[in-house]
Amino acid sequence: MAEVEVWFDGDCPLCRREIELMRRLDRRGAIVFTDVASGQGSCPMDRAELLARFHALEDGRMVSGAEAFAAMWRAIPVLAPFGRLARNRHVLGVMERLYLAFLKVRPALQRWARGSGTARTG
């Protein structure tokens, strides 16, 4: 049974690549991955909000940003130590600042990924 559900932007080439990696690492099937861009699956909140930031449901609690990544990592044994480390508020604070910086450059990185041919289509 899944322990964590994550919502991601399937139209984002960067997001798709990361989720593909997480799916390969999730050998126990502990994570339900929901592509918000596809319109399939249930959305627990506004779709635009789900597309703006990475979200996860862990232990009945909705988290977003760096905390959502940490929740996903905790569900994957090889990444679990990093997820547990993020339970420290100082570590999580640094991770969140890095995530916010990434969000600022994400549109440019998406354009680059689409234009460079590194992203798969469809």
Side-chain angles (χ1 to χ4, degrees):
M1 181 165 188
E3 299 171 9
V4 173
E5 184 168 2
V6 300
W7 289 266
F8 69 98
D9 182 355
D11 285 342
C12 167
L14 305 170
C15 304
R16 278 196 317 267
R17 294 189 109 164
E18 178 155 13
I19 295 303
E20 286 173 15
L21 173 62
M22 294 300 117
R23 281 185 170 134
R24 285 194 303 272
L25 293 174
D26 182 27
R27 295 184 180 159
R28 298 181 308 136
I31 304 170
V32 172
F33 297 96
T34 301
D35 178 355
V36 178
S38 74
Q40 297 177 354
S42 65
C43 290
M45 59 180 42
D46 180 66
R47 185 173 179 266
E49 190 176 344
L50 284 171
L51 288 168
R53 283 177 61 93
F54 188 69
H55 287 78
L57 183 68
E58 179 186 41
D59 298 328
R61 191 169 79 92
M62 182 66 78
V63 292
S64 70
E67 194 171 3
F69 279 97
M72 179 174 63
W73 297 340
R74 284 189 288 272
I76 298 172
V78 71
L79 298 176
F82 300 107
R84 287 191 297 273
L85 184 62
R87 290 189 192 272
N88 176 292
R89 68 183 176 96
H90 300 292
V91 172
L92 186 59
V94 169
M95 288 174 53
E96 182 65 19
R97 285 191 294 280
L98 291 170
Y99 180 72
L100 292 173
F102 164 77
L103 287 179
K104 290 179 182 177
V105 298
R106 179 181 171 205
L109 291 173
Q110 288 173 319
R111 285 189 300 275
W112 174 81
R114 286 185 181 110
S116 70
T118 60
R120 290 188 348 215
T121 58

